[in-house]
Amino acid sequence: MSKVKVAAFSFSLDGYGAGREQSLQDPLGRDGERLHDWFVPTRSFQKMSNKEEGTTGVDDDFGAQSFEKLGAWIMGRNMFGPVRGDWPDNEWKGWWGDNPPYHVPVFVLTHHPRAPVTMAGGTTFHFVTDGIEAALERARDAASDRDIRIGGGVSTIRQYLKARLIDELHLAVAPVLLGGGESLFAGIDLPELGYRVIRHVAGAGATHMIVSRG
């Protein structure tokens, strides 16, 4: 059965999914890139850059699993790129170059309409202006019996959590203190929403937590 899930989402020990002062140069904010130090060395990540080498083990296993059985993604506009307000043109097509790592339809939450953007490798970005439920309905249609991944950023995950629309989260707790930024769980009562930790595994670079609803 298809799941709506968060996978390989990294946050700091003090609870932030992005740091302070996000910018074009630092899209995850000050020191935010350190959240992904567990994933970058892995074979799964290196394969995205057509490299054969990389570490194996727990971190690589969770990284690889995060891309399995996916039929669609949903992400916020901040994750898609730094452009704010009305789209000035169609030049910006994401952070990832001509062949993004998604290879399935991606639904981008935004308040500003834009025509779909088709990229190499099977990725098409669709821009959804009528809310998280509408994006999820379109993603379900696109994914069929495969899973839907809520890709972030923090605000997008929080919206879907509060609406109880996420079935499962794989969270990678990085051994990093950011001191501020975008808090993942502030003001959200996960047990009240029906979530509980069902598994936790220590990797070389992060502790992996599986949180499930129901």
Side-chain angles (χ1 to χ4, degrees):
M1 182 177 176
S2 175
K3 288 184 178 180
V4 179
K5 64 184 185 181
V6 171
F9 189 86
S10 303
F11 72 108
S12 67
L13 188 60
D14 50 350
Y16 298 100
R20 300 183 179 105
E21 301 172 16
Q22 295 177 56
S23 66
L24 179 61
Q25 291 72 32
D26 293 304
L28 290 174
R30 192 191 329 151
D31 290 331
E33 292 295 330
R34 295 174 59 202
L35 298 175
H36 300 283
D37 284 350
W38 69 272
F39 186 38
V40 173
T42 64
R43 181 171 56 186
S44 297
F45 182 89
Q46 294 300 316
K47 284 174 66 176
M48 295 179 192
S49 301
N50 297 316
K51 298 177 182 178
E52 296 300 323
E53 297 182 355
T55 60
T56 58
V58 169
D59 292 336
D60 182 56
D61 291 343
F62 274 100
Q65 290 166 19
S66 71
F67 285 92
E68 292 176 354
K69 201 195 168 190
L70 293 182
W73 284 63
I74 297 172
M75 67 174 63
R77 180 166 172 178
N78 287 5
M79 183 173 173
F80 178 72
V83 182
R84 302 292 181 264
D86 288 327
W87 301 98
D89 51 47
N90 293 322
E91 290 299 313
W92 183 265
K93 297 179 181 179
W95 303 100
W96 311 277
D98 293 332
N99 190 354
Y102 305 106
H103 309 303
V104 293
V106 180
F107 298 89
V108 180
L109 299 168
T110 179
H111 296 294
H112 301 277
R114 180 176 173 179
V117 176
T118 299
M119 308 291 286
T123 301
T124 299
F125 294 107
H126 302 272
F127 300 89
V128 182
T129 59
D130 43 358
I132 63 171
E133 288 88 356
L136 182 55
E137 183 177 350
R138 291 182 62 181
R140 287 192 195 280
D141 289 342
S144 187
D145 61 344
R146 300 177 74 80
D147 292 339
I148 299 159
R149 181 168 168 178
I150 309 296
V154 170
S155 175
T156 298
I157 292 174
R158 288 173 59 85
Q159 289 179 68
Y160 279 99
L161 273 177
K162 289 179 180 179
R164 306 187 189 201
L165 293 173
I166 296 175
D167 299 310
E168 182 178 285
L169 301 93
H170 160 222
L171 303 169
V173 186
V176 173
L177 296 172
L178 293 180
E182 290 191 69
S183 176
L184 185 58
F185 294 128
I188 296 179
D189 188 337
L190 290 174
E192 177 65 23
L193 292 174
Y195 292 96
R196 61 189 180 93
V197 178
I198 62 171
R199 186 184 176 205
H200 56 92
V201 182
T207 299
H208 302 272
M209 317 287 287
I210 304 300
V211 180
S212 180
R213 183 171 179 271

